[in-house]
Amino acid sequence: MKTIGLIGGLSWESTADYYRYINTFVKEQMCGLHSAKCLLYSFDFEEIVALQKAGHWEKATELMINAAKTLEAGGADVLLICTNTMHKMAKEVQASVSIPLLHIAEVTGNEAKEAGLKKVGLLGTMFTMEHSFYKEALLHQGIETIVPEKEDREAVHRIIFDELCKGIILPESKEIYLRIIEKLLSNGAEGIILGCTEIPLLIKQEDSAIPLFDTTFLHAKAAVSYALGKEFAIENS
């Protein structure tokens, strides 16, 4: 079994889901008392959010590179950035280490492509929805991405930072998200990428009749596939 390096704490709420998924998958694949070999570098999320808000992406990139190098030096065989937004500097992080970085958008795009989708709606932080890095990764796989209108993007972003990252789950916020999803569907989206690792805390596949792509689940599954050297099928729930 290879060792998985997790760059987490972005936020810790979703990093906890990564740890749970990864160990659950390993247990289901290997049985007995097996669990995942993994290392975690956990940030103080407030420091990262301050850099994001100030637009200090170069400093944020330096911190991410340092985390990646620390995990590699500690014995990690593969890296995961446990958040969608910080894949903005995925290329720089990958270039700084010799072990592979599993890109969350590429993993998710593969899943959408296998499902036969050509156009998806993207929900996430303002950075993920408005910057080009995520859309470009999906377009490379032949998938067009659309995002909510400005007012709805602001609502999605606010709920992520003011509620989900703090472990606050409100039914009224779920209704807001579901209304935004319906708008994306009316604009041609064939599925929705939950492009923030906190969103699956609020929205589940059972809440929608159309495909929802839980990026936390898919990213964790890809990590275990790599660590165990085999593909496996687990229903996205």
Side-chain angles (χ1 to χ4, degrees):
M1 188 194 309
K2 293 181 174 65
T3 300
I4 301 169
L6 304 169
I7 301 178
L10 303 162
S11 67
W12 73 261
E13 296 282 349
S14 60
T15 301
D17 271 350
Y18 268 93
Y19 188 76
R20 177 172 58 86
Y21 277 138
I22 287 170
N23 281 288
T24 297
F25 295 157
V26 168
K27 180 180 69 174
E28 291 177 356
Q29 292 301 300
M30 301 186 71
C31 302
L33 298 178
H34 286 287
S35 57
K37 292 181 179 179
C38 58
L39 300 172
L40 170 62
Y41 187 111
S42 190
F43 279 102
D44 176 356
F45 193 36
E46 184 65 36
E47 295 177 359
I48 300 299
V49 171
L51 294 174
Q52 291 175 344
K53 289 180 178 179
H56 295 162
W57 294 103
E58 289 186 4
K59 178 60 177 178
T61 299
E62 290 177 10
L63 294 178
M64 294 292 288
I65 288 173
N66 178 65
K69 288 182 175 180
T70 299
L71 290 170
E72 182 179 35
D77 298 302
V78 61
L79 288 177
L80 269 69
I81 299 174
C82 299
T83 174
N84 287 268
T85 297
M86 299 306 276
H87 279 75
K88 178 178 174 66
M89 63 279 295
K91 292 180 181 178
E92 291 85 349
V93 173
Q94 178 62 91
S96 73
V97 294
S98 60
I99 59 177
L101 170 70
L102 298 184
H103 196 297
I104 197 168
E106 293 176 359
V107 167
T108 304
N110 283 335
E111 194 77 10
K113 187 175 181 179
E114 288 183 8
L117 276 57
K118 299 293 185 183
K119 187 175 185 179
V120 297
L122 174 63
L123 301 179
T125 66
M126 293 287 277
F127 315 113
T128 298
M129 291 186 289
E130 295 185 350
H131 296 187
S132 63
F133 67 97
Y134 213 96
K135 299 171 190 174
E136 289 175 355
L138 293 174
L139 186 60
H140 185 68
Q141 298 183 35
I143 299 173
E144 180 185 353
T145 305
I146 60 174
V147 297
E149 59 191 36
K150 187 176 189 298
E151 183 178 351
D152 288 341
R153 293 199 302 272
E154 292 172 348
V156 170
H157 183 90
R158 175 186 59 77
I159 289 169
I160 289 170
F161 282 98
D162 293 351
E163 299 173 21
L164 303 183
C165 287
K166 298 177 181 178
I168 300 171
I169 311 297
L170 300 177
E172 53 266 36
S173 294
K174 174 181 281 192
E175 290 303 315
I176 291 172
Y177 269 55
L178 292 177
R179 286 198 297 270
I180 292 171
I181 287 173
E182 286 300 318
K183 290 182 184 179
L184 290 170
L185 293 180
S186 68
N187 288 328
E190 301 165 331
I192 303 295
I193 292 178
L194 306 182
C196 172
T197 50
E198 281 77 28
I199 294 178
L201 301 173
L202 181 68
I203 301 291
K204 311 290 185 184
Q205 182 61 68
E206 63 198 45
D207 298 315
S208 177
I210 57 95
L212 302 181
F213 295 91
D214 179 340
T215 53
T216 307
F217 179 98
L218 295 172
H219 206 198
K221 178 173 177 284
V224 173
S225 291
Y226 185 91
L228 299 183
K230 63 178 181 178
E231 293 294 330
F232 58 95
I234 296 179
E235 184 178 352
N236 187 347
S237 57

